[in-house]
Amino acid sequence: MFRLAEFRRDKKLTQKDVAEIFKCKQNNISIIENQKKDLTDAQLEALIVLYGDSVKSYIDDIDSVSIEKGRKHVVGDYLLPYYDVDITLGFDNIMNDQTTIPSYYLNIPAFKNCDCAVPVYGRSMTPDINDGSIVAIKEVSLDSVLPGEAYLIVTDEYRTVKYIRTCKGDPAKLRLVPKNLEEFDEMILDKSKIRKVFMVKGVITNKIL
């Protein structure tokens, strides 16, 4: 197993610090460090990010939990990380505390060019994107945004999925347009307020046929 406690102390972190990063109880960190609980691939990847290559060098010695070795048996040799973050299809204000630890991975070779997958909630993009669907996204620069395509827009106030269109007469602003215009209005957003933008490359719907 790993010398997790040693790696943690090298980073001058307490078990409480790591528990807050992992969003779990401190007792869980103690259990993991005492080798009483197997680590998931998501936890291993998070530890590599947190502790550095010193952890990664030990992973290859454990075939049953190695991320890299596990990926060799996946169709298309790719796993899409799924982050269980709050994404709204409306304009509700939410906390923008992006998680850094994937909840799990999706084996979808068609989305191999995407960065990750996230859930979306709300009715403003129905029927194109239903409430509770999962979207596969890829981060792009604001300058490369294609008018008419669906994007996840992240600001300091909210995250939302909308169609982006240009704002005539004002190149410093964008129109965020919902699909369900019967129930929802479009919004004008200043480009300077956008922290990140992700193109929606695919949708995994929960619609029952």
Side-chain angles (χ1 to χ4, degrees), residues 177-200:
V177 184
K179 176 67 176 180
N180 183 5
L181 288 169
E182 293 183 1
E183 299 181 54
F184 299 88
D185 297 324
E186 69 175 68
M187 177 183 180
I188 304 298
L189 179 64
D190 195 311
K191 289 182 179 180
S192 64
K193 294 184 178 180
I194 298 176
R195 287 174 50 196
K196 290 187 177 182
V197 60
F198 300 81
M199 188 176 197
V200 175

Side-chain angles (χ1 to χ4, degrees), residues 14-59:
T14 65
Q15 288 186 348
K16 182 179 179 181
D17 294 331
V18 178
E20 290 178 351
I21 294 171
F22 272 61
K23 300 185 185 303
C24 67
K25 295 181 179 179
Q26 182 176 334
N27 183 55
N28 289 346
I29 303 302
S30 177
I31 292 173
I32 289 173
E33 290 186 348
N34 286 289
Q35 305 178 19
K36 296 178 181 178
K37 182 178 180 179
D38 291 335
L39 296 175
T40 65
D41 284 354
Q43 289 172 328
L44 285 173
E45 186 163 293
L47 287 173
I48 292 172
V49 174
L50 185 61
Y51 296 147
D53 291 339
S54 56
V55 173
K56 185 175 182 181
S57 64
Y58 285 89
I59 292 179

Side-chain angles (χ1 to χ4, degrees), residues 23-209:
K23 300 185 185 303
C24 67
K25 295 181 179 179
Q26 182 176 334
N27 183 55
N28 289 346
I29 303 302
S30 177
I31 292 173
I32 289 173
E33 290 186 348
N34 286 289
Q35 305 178 19
K36 296 178 181 178
K37 182 178 180 179
D38 291 335
L39 296 175
T40 65
D41 284 354
Q43 289 172 328
L44 285 173
E45 186 163 293
L47 287 173
I48 292 172
V49 174
L50 185 61
Y51 296 147
D53 291 339
S54 56
V55 173
K56 185 175 182 181
S57 64
Y58 285 89
I59 292 179
D60 291 334
D61 295 331
I62 306 175
D63 294 348
S64 61
V65 294
S66 171
I67 296 174
E68 294 303 322
K69 290 185 179 181
R71 285 180 174 173
K72 293 179 181 178
H73 302 288
V74 176
V75 176
D77 194 29
Y78 181 74
L79 290 171
L80 183 68
Y82 170 86
Y83 294 90
D84 190 13
V85 296
D86 292 320
I87 305 295
T88 175
L89 291 173
F91 295 114
D92 300 326
N93 289 348
I94 59 174
M95 294 297 291
N96 262 336
D97 51 336
Q98 295 277 5
T99 181
T100 59
I101 304 173
S103 298
Y104 52 82
Y105 293 85
L106 302 174
N107 180 13
I108 309 178
F111 295 156
K112 66 181 181 180
N113 292 324
C114 298
D115 294 330
C116 64
V118 295
V120 292
Y121 303 100
R123 290 180 41 80
S124 72
M125 290 295 283
T126 58
D128 291 0
I129 305 176
N130 293 317
D131 180 22
S133 295
I134 295 173
V135 294
I137 57 176
K138 182 177 180 62
E139 186 171 5
V140 297
S141 66
L142 193 56
D143 292 337
S144 67
V145 165
L146 301 173
E149 296 293 332
Y151 291 88
L152 164 62
I153 301 99
V154 179
T155 73
D156 287 331
E157 289 75 37
Y158 54 78
R159 309 183 193 106
T160 188
V161 174
K162 290 290 180 291
Y163 290 113
I164 288 183
R165 298 188 183 280
T166 56
C167 193
K168 292 183 179 180
D170 194 344
K173 299 182 183 297
L174 291 172
R175 295 165 54 209
L176 306 188
V177 184
K179 176 67 176 180
N180 183 5
L181 288 169
E182 293 183 1
E183 299 181 54
F184 299 88
D185 297 324
E186 69 175 68
M187 177 183 180
I188 304 298
L189 179 64
D190 195 311
K191 289 182 179 180
S192 64
K193 294 184 178 180
I194 298 176
R195 287 174 50 196
K196 290 187 177 182
V197 60
F198 300 81
M199 188 176 197
V200 175
K201 304 284 286 186
V203 179
I204 305 171
T205 183
N206 61 355
K207 183 178 180 180
I208 299 176
L209 300 177

